[in-house]
Amino acid sequence: MQLTGAEIVIRCLQEEKVEHVFGYPGGSVLFIYDELFKQDQVKHILVRHEQAAVHAADAYSRSSNKTGVCMVTSGPGVTNAVTGIATAYMDSIPLVVISGQVPTAYIGQDAFQECDTVGITRPCVKHNFLVKDVKDLAVTIKKAFYLAKTGRPGPVLVDVPKDVTVQKCEFSYPKTISMRSYNPVVKGHAGQIKKAVQLLLDAKRPMIYTGGGVILSDAAEKLTKLVRMLGFPVTQTLMGLGGYPATDRQFLGMLGMHGTVEANMAMQECDVLLAIGARFDDRVIGNPSHFSEVARKIVHIDIDPSSISKRVRVDVPIVGNVPEVLDELIRQLEAAEARPDEKHLAAWWKKIDEWRGRNCLRFKQGKEKIMPQYVVQTLYEVTGGDAFVTSDVGQHQMWAAQYYKFDKPRRWINSGGLGTMGVGLPYAMGVRFANPKATVACITGEASIQMCIQELSTAKQFRLPIKIVNLNNRYLGMVRQWQEMFHGNRYAESYVDALPDFVKLAESYGHVGMRIDKPADVEPAIREAFTKHKNDLVFMDFITDQTANVYPMVAAGKGLSEMILAEDL
């Protein structure tokens, strides 16, 4: 059966059971869009900016464990998408990006809307392809989906010149794919797992530290079984929240730069550390030399061998897919005659409870100014902790992570590695398309929300009942906090003095707008948004205390035990 390249692209997406593609048309991809129009199996979501297309596809994947797909045109279309691609790359999110390119004969000729897509995206993709022959198109797309999802996931880009979309060839889509140079290890080494078991059983001050790898590999259930079997404390990174129930006593809260006292101190003072699907990054352990001052044995489980001993030397490296390694770890623990020493474990928990007793996340909500922490806390209570929560990047992101307790995986959607402002609204859109009956809230700030504010139009077109929680402190909040703490209160370009009326702006797009400036109105407003306006997008503009800062805080270059607490100021 002879098909054009454009027809082949759509048939490949159908073969991969793709339901939604996020994108924006342009000259180089018009033949592909024409084929999209002729079928109804793959639904296209028209965003208002290519960056939002990638963000939405990214969140679609994060919240569903499907591979996100987006489509952009050549030149400015793909360069607009680079921020979204880099965001997904840093957080290891499986995406397939299909980009248009000028005809093959024009490549390198500075043609209209030409750019070196492969060169530009190479540093921020898992892999990319330029397809110059229509006969290679189907197998290349198959490779793209395979690479995006297996091993350590990530975005894969397929660049398709316009003339390739009109060329014809026989269509055959491979059932499976194998690549000689790409064979990720799945099963962990049994001998290494045996060493890990012995260390865990001999530990006096054990700690389990988990990251986004637990979420991405769907290993939350197995992690929960392991943690409860051992009775050990557990902490999670910003990307790992929801991998273990946040309301469980064994969970010590998030660790790192804005982590809890109990999580950071237990991490610093443990004698055996089990790291699962995490990478010891700078926002998690602070200064590596300070972290290494305490002698401890480290077991590190990760699918990516390059992440092991990258920043911190480990004693027992285990390369493999997290669920399969945990299965074997649990099997060996169940078969072992020994059990963790209850006496030492009880003493360790006593120490942890002393740290926990400092209640480092406490704050005071008065009658005059709205504290941002109170808004997040109230959102948690009103939604019963069962919402999908997206966030932008800044103070509001940290407050969301600290005060919304995630008991389930894939409910917390944010940009961790790249820290991309503007993701919150397109993330919420992607979540809603992947989970059409879900309650979706976007926690944002007055600066972040404006970076992709045009997506209010997309939300209107597709009737997405997202609830936007805007913590409006009239500052670039995290920038202001650092300027206050480390730059002598010199607020260089961090004050936002030309804000729109967000209520009128939301209404101009056809949505519901609310302005809340009194603490007593916080809960009624949130309840009204989720009940009376259940089927509407509601933009809640909360006018919050301008001086509120995120605590605890580990300053850059400091160690985990060198936290700044609100009570210390």
Side-chain angles (χ1 to χ4, degrees):
M1 179 170 48
Q2 293 257 325
L3 298 180
T4 66
E7 291 172 318
I8 287 171
V9 170
I10 303 306
R11 282 291 301 273
C12 290
L13 297 181
Q14 292 172 343
E15 291 286 337
E16 289 291 338
K17 303 292 190 293
V18 173
E19 296 177 11
H20 295 93
V21 174
F22 301 86
Y24 202 98
S28 293
V29 288
L30 282 185
F31 287 109
I32 300 176
Y33 270 85
D34 197 35
E35 295 305 322
L36 263 174
F37 183 81
K38 295 174 184 177
Q39 56 82 59
D40 57 9
Q41 188 174 328
V42 180
K43 297 177 178 61
H44 182 269
I45 309 303
L46 177 66
V47 297
R48 301 311 190 255
H49 191 285
E50 290 89 351
Q51 178 179 338
V54 191
H55 290 330
D58 173 343
Y60 187 93
S61 176
R62 292 182 198 237
S63 64
S64 68
N65 196 26
K66 299 176 182 177
T67 300
V69 182
C70 54
M71 191 181 310
V72 297
T73 194
S74 62
V78 76
T79 56
N80 281 347
V82 168
T83 297
I85 295 169
T87 300
Y89 178 71
M90 287 291 282
D91 289 344
S92 304
I93 307 303
L95 289 183
V96 171
V97 182
I98 298 171
S99 60
Q101 183 56 275
V102 299
T104 51
Y106 293 8
I107 294 175
Q109 302 296 314
D110 293 332
F112 176 68
Q113 291 194 332
E114 180 196 359
C115 70
D116 179 9
T117 297
V118 168
I120 289 170
T121 61
R122 184 176 288 120
C124 60
V125 293
K126 186 175 179 181
H127 196 66
N128 59 19
F129 300 91
L130 172 61
V131 183
K132 292 185 176 181
D133 190 328
V134 70
K135 295 185 183 70
D136 299 327
L137 188 54
V139 70
T140 300
I141 292 176
K142 183 68 177 181
K143 286 179 180 178
F145 277 92
Y146 173 66
L147 286 168
K149 192 71 173 170
T150 56
R152 180 176 179 173
V156 179
L157 181 139
V158 181
D159 201 28
V160 187
K162 188 170 184 176
D163 59 316
V164 172
T165 67
V166 295
Q167 293 169 2
K168 288 188 174 184
C169 73
E170 297 286 333
F171 174 70
S172 176
Y173 196 65
K175 295 292 183 186
T176 59
I177 202 82
S178 64
M179 303 173 70
R180 186 175 61 182
S181 60
Y182 178 74
N183 293 290
V185 175
V186 175
K187 290 187 177 296
H189 189 281
Q192 292 293 88
I193 296 175
K194 186 176 180 180
K195 290 180 186 177
V197 167
Q198 196 57 53
L199 282 175
L200 293 171
L201 292 176
D202 291 342
K204 296 180 176 63
R205 302 185 310 279
M207 184 68 171
I208 298 175
Y209 148 59
T210 76
V214 170
I215 307 292
L216 293 171
S217 63
D218 280 342
E221 189 175 324
K222 298 179 192 301
L223 171 67
T224 301
K225 181 178 180 180
L226 174 69
V227 172
R228 288 176 175 163
M229 174 193 299
L230 290 169
F232 292 177
V234 61
T235 184
Q236 293 165 343
T237 65
L238 180 73
M239 300 308 300
L241 295 177
Y244 186 84
T247 54
D248 190 274
R249 181 182 177 274
Q250 286 175 248
F251 179 60
L252 304 191
M254 181 177 72
L255 82 162
M257 179 172 277
H258 295 294
T260 64
V261 168
E262 52 269 33
N264 283 350
M265 292 304 296
M267 184 80 171
Q268 183 68 17
E269 297 194 12
C270 65
D271 67 342
V272 173
L273 177 63
L274 173 59
I276 308 172
R279 56 190 179 92
F280 293 91
D281 72 87
D282 58 299
R283 292 295 169 109
V284 166
I285 62 162
N287 188 330
S289 60
H290 179 277
F291 184 69
S292 300
E293 287 176 1
V294 178
R296 65 177 72 77
K297 295 293 184 182
I298 300 177
V299 179
H300 191 178
I301 302 168
D302 206 288
I303 190 78
D304 180 9
S306 72
S307 290
I308 297 179
S309 290
K310 188 174 185 177
R311 299 192 76 242
V312 173
R313 187 188 67 82
V314 307
D315 301 278
V316 183
I318 303 174
V319 178
N321 193 30
V322 169
E324 300 201 31
V325 175
L326 290 185
D327 275 338
E328 178 62 16
L329 188 60
I330 290 169
R331 188 193 68 77
Q332 289 196 26
L333 281 167
E334 289 175 335
E337 294 182 4
R339 287 290 175 267
D341 188 295
E342 292 185 7
K343 181 179 177 182
H344 284 121
L345 195 55
W348 179 228
W349 271 111
K350 183 179 179 183
K351 183 65 175 175
I352 289 170
D353 285 339
E354 289 176 7
W355 290 322
R356 186 178 258 160
R358 297 185 67 173
N359 192 17
C360 64
L361 296 181
R362 69 182 182 274
F363 65 93
K364 293 181 180 178
Q365 176 56 68
K367 294 182 179 180
E368 299 299 323
K369 297 179 180 178
I370 297 174
M371 297 303 292
Q373 301 96 318
Y374 175 64
V375 178
V376 178
Q377 217 173 54
T378 305
L379 177 69
Y380 171 75
E381 292 166 1
V382 170
T383 60
D386 202 37
F388 285 78
V389 177
T390 74
S391 87
D392 274 294
V393 171
Q395 287 180 315
H396 58 269
Q397 177 189 25
M398 295 301 109
W399 286 316
Q402 290 175 330
Y403 293 94
Y404 200 101
K405 299 178 179 66
F406 296 95
D407 280 344
K408 299 175 183 178
R410 300 190 180 276
R411 296 299 183 95
W412 167 233
I413 314 294
N414 77 118
S415 169
L418 199 64
T420 307
M421 293 174 68
V423 298
L425 178 53
Y427 270 2
M429 292 172 2
V431 169
R432 182 68 188 191
F433 280 112
N435 307 271
K437 295 184 179 179
T439 298
V440 183
C442 167
I443 297 177
T444 185
E446 77 291 334
S448 283
I449 191 65
Q450 292 190 82
M451 289 198 171
C452 280
I453 195 74
Q454 74 283 340
E455 298 311 314
L456 286 174
S457 178
T458 306
K460 180 61 177 178
Q461 179 180 345
F462 293 96
R463 296 178 176 83
L464 303 178
I466 296 160
K467 306 300 181 270
I468 297 174
V469 178
N470 188 39
L471 302 182
N472 186 346
N473 62 8
R474 289 82 73 208
Y475 270 108
L476 305 182
M478 193 60 84
V479 172
R480 183 204 57 77
Q481 178 168 337
W482 279 59
Q483 288 171 336
E484 176 186 316
M485 299 175 74
F486 310 118
H487 298 276
N489 296 305
R490 292 181 295 278
Y491 301 125
E493 303 304 322
S494 59
Y495 179 66
V496 183
D497 60 357
L499 291 174
D501 182 326
F502 286 110
V503 172
K504 290 181 179 178
L505 183 60
E507 290 174 347
S508 74
Y509 277 101
H511 302 302
V512 176
M514 297 181 182
R515 178 185 170 95
I516 305 97
D517 55 15
K518 295 182 176 61
D521 295 333
V522 170
E523 183 176 349
I526 295 176
R527 289 197 181 278
E528 180 180 342
F530 283 96
T531 54
K532 180 180 177 182
H533 300 292
K534 180 180 179 180
N535 297 320
D536 301 315
L537 185 149
V538 182
F539 194 116
M540 290 171 276
D541 188 22
F542 292 94
I543 310 304
T544 62
D545 186 343
Q546 287 189 284
T547 65
N549 285 336
V550 183
Y551 296 110
M553 180 174 181
V554 177
K558 297 294 185 179
L560 280 179
S561 60
E562 300 176 293
M563 286 168 280
I564 302 170
L565 305 179
E567 64 194 49
D568 298 332
L569 302 176

